Amino acid sequence: MDGAMNETLKVSIDADVATLWLNRPEKKNALTLAMWMALPGVLAEIAADTRAKVLVVRGAGGTFAAGADIGEFETVYATPDSTRAYFDRVSEAMEALAAFDKPTVAHVEGACVGGGLGLALACDLRIAATDAKLALTPGKLGLVYSLPDTRRLVQAVGLSRTKDILFTGRLIQADEALAIGLIDALHAPEALEAAVAEKTAQIAAASQWTARRAKRIVQLIADGETADTDLTARWLIEAVEGEDFREGRDAFLGKRTPVFPHR
């Protein structure tokens, strides 16, 4: 799967880490309808590839993504039917990333705006450069942000800050983004690559059986669950009977670093 999935979405795999590149650097990686439509299939292929334990999402050319391609607006918003079809494709792409089974990290540099920030929020973690600038701009276009996308923003920054961000559409500097929880870590531009690599290596070295179920349990909590379901209760038992726990236990007793088999 290494190489191009198409011209504007590219995937590479290095060791345990897959990288999904938004690849329109000449347009600051503005997201086209074709990109939104292709994204669920690309993610499905990455999910099925056992080489990849972690997914990094980033933009080519030093910019994450400047949002949806405004050059397509006249076409995609031409009629109510075309508008609904466009929003459906965007929603399917966002939800495919949010529901992606493996841990995901957004590598954020430069502009991360509109649909670009929506994609970053659909990732589990956001690690940014100090020169990153973030915004959600429906208020500057007279549009409305979807409920699932707004929910992810609320979960990151809280209710009142979500209102501020959406009411104003203002550009948020990286240091403020870190302070309010919009991003999770901040590094100098020249250190960002190494910082993302270190974090993904930490994730890949841990149990993937644990990581994938922890991700689903956290989402259940975010969706309002307050007690174990039949599924999560079963996972507790399955973990103790699983090969990763056996390896973790044996490594602990043997005072060695575990090499977890689950991929």
Side-chain angles (χ1 to χ4, degrees):
M1 187 177 60
D2 298 273
M5 302 299 292
N6 58 49
E7 291 183 356
T8 55
L9 295 176
K10 291 188 175 182
V11 176
S12 59
I13 297 180
D14 182 13
D16 295 320
V17 180
T19 300
L20 171 60
W21 295 85
L22 309 175
N23 189 43
R24 294 184 77 209
E26 74 285 358
K27 296 291 187 180
K28 296 186 178 180
N29 302 317
L31 294 146
T32 64
L33 173 58
M35 293 168 74
W36 293 120
M37 291 175 67
L39 188 56
V42 173
L43 291 170
E45 292 200 29
I46 300 169
D49 193 321
T50 58
R51 293 176 295 168
K53 293 181 177 180
V54 185
L55 173 63
V56 172
V57 181
R58 66 182 298 185
T63 296
F64 188 81
D69 188 344
I70 199 167
E72 293 189 332
F73 281 11
E74 186 173 351
T75 300
V76 299
Y77 297 146
T79 67
D81 286 344
S82 68
T83 297
R84 171 52 57 196
Y86 177 69
F87 285 153
D88 285 348
R89 301 296 82 76
V90 174
S91 176
E92 287 165 2
M94 292 289 193
E95 294 308 308
L97 181 55
F100 189 75
D101 191 42
K102 301 172 183 180
T104 54
V105 178
H107 175 129
V108 180
E109 53 190 334
C112 181
V113 176
L117 182 49
L119 284 175
L121 284 164
C123 292
D124 299 312
L125 300 174
R126 288 161 293 285
I127 302 177
T130 52
D131 66 353
K133 295 177 175 60
L134 305 94
L136 288 172
T137 55
K140 292 192 171 182
L141 293 167
L143 296 172
V144 175
Y145 212 43
S146 76
L147 191 146
D149 290 338
T150 303
R151 180 183 61 190
R152 283 187 281 271
L153 181 61
V154 169
Q155 288 167 349
V157 303
L159 290 166
S160 60
R161 286 182 176 132
T162 292
K163 292 174 185 177
D164 172 36
I165 290 168
L166 293 177
F167 289 174
T168 66
R170 64 188 179 86
L171 204 61
I172 301 166
Q173 302 298 321
D175 55 351
E176 181 187 357
L178 178 65
I180 67 176
L182 192 58
I183 58 177
D184 301 298
L186 192 60
H187 299 275
E190 64 273 14
L192 181 62
E193 192 99 26
V196 172
E198 180 181 6
K199 180 57 65 178
T200 55
Q202 291 173 345
I203 295 169
S207 166
Q208 297 310 295
W209 201 98
T210 297
R212 293 175 198 177
R213 282 148 188 82
K215 177 171 178 170
R216 291 176 65 182
I217 289 171
V218 170
Q219 188 58 54
L220 287 170
I221 294 168
D223 292 340
E225 288 287 354
T226 59
D228 272 315
T229 65
D230 290 343
L231 180 61
T232 62
R234 188 170 76 243
W235 286 342
L236 301 179
I237 305 303
E238 289 177 349
V240 176
E241 298 174 343
E243 57 184 3
D244 270 22
F245 175 69
R246 288 194 295 273
E247 168 61 13
R249 177 195 59 200
D250 292 348
F252 178 79
L253 294 174
K255 298 182 180 179
R256 61 175 176 81
T257 300
V259 180
F260 292 107
H262 187 81
R263 297 190 71 87

